[in-house]
C-alpha cells in the first residue's frame, strides 16, 4: 500500500523550491509506460518532480485519469520513491475529466 507521504500538492513543492533557489522539473510521460523512468531519474538525482498528463494524451492512449493515477501510485510504491513528487492533470478543459 502506498503511504503517499512524498506525493504532495504543487504548492508546497514550489514553495520549497523557491525558498531553496531551485527549479522543479515537470515531465509528461505521455503514457503509463514512461512513468517509471521519470520517477527513477528524479530519485537518482534526488530532485523533486512533477508528473503530468493532459486530456489529449489520455484520449490518445485511451486511458482514464484514474488509470494513469493508479499506474503512477503503483510505480511510486514499487520504486520506493522518497523524493517529493506531484501528480498533475494538465491542459484539461472538460469538468467530467477533472472529476
Amino acid at each position: 500500500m502506498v503511504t503517499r507521504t512524498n506525493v504532495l500538492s504543487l504548492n508546497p513543492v514550489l514553495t520549497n523550491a523557491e525558498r531553496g533557489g531551485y527549479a522543479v522539473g515537470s515531465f509528461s510521460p505521455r503514457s503509463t509506460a514512461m512513468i517509471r523512468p521519470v520517477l527513477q531519474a528524479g530519485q537518482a538525482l534526488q530532485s523533486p518532480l512533477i508528473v503530468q498528463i493532459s486530456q489529449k494524451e489520455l484520449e490518445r492512449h485511451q486511458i482514464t485519469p484514474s488509470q494513469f493515477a493508479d499506474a503512477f501510485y503503483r510505480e511510486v510504491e514499487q520504486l520506493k520513491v522518497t523524493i517529493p513528487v506531484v501528480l498533475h492533470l494538465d491542459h484539461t478543459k472538460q469538468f467530467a475529466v477533472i472529476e
Side-chain angles (χ1 to χ4, degrees):
M1 182 171 147
V2 176
T3 61
R4 302 179 185 185
T5 56
N6 58 323
V7 179
L8 305 172
S9 65
L10 191 57
N11 191 43
V13 172
L14 294 181
T15 298
N16 288 339
E18 185 175 1
R19 287 181 186 149
Y22 60 88
V24 178
S26 183
F27 303 91
S28 299
R30 306 278 187 232
S31 69
T32 56
M34 294 302 297
I35 295 171
R36 178 174 281 262
V38 169
L39 292 173
Q40 287 173 320
Q43 187 67 33
L45 296 170
Q46 288 296 289
S47 179
L49 57 87
I50 301 162
V51 174
Q52 64 183 25
I53 188 128
S54 70
Q55 181 177 343
K56 285 183 182 181
E57 293 300 328
L58 292 169
E59 291 168 358
R60 180 176 290 131
H61 295 285
Q62 298 179 343
I63 59 174
T64 67
S66 293
Q67 289 169 323
F68 189 84
D70 289 345
F72 169 81
Y73 285 113
R74 188 170 44 253
E75 293 296 343
V76 167
E77 180 179 5
Q78 288 176 359
L79 294 171
K80 298 180 178 14
V81 173
T82 59
I83 58 164
V85 293
V86 175
L87 178 59
H88 177 67
L89 181 59
D90 195 38
H91 298 288
T92 302
K93 298 177 182 178
Q94 293 179 347
F95 189 69
V97 174
I98 296 167
E99 279 185 313

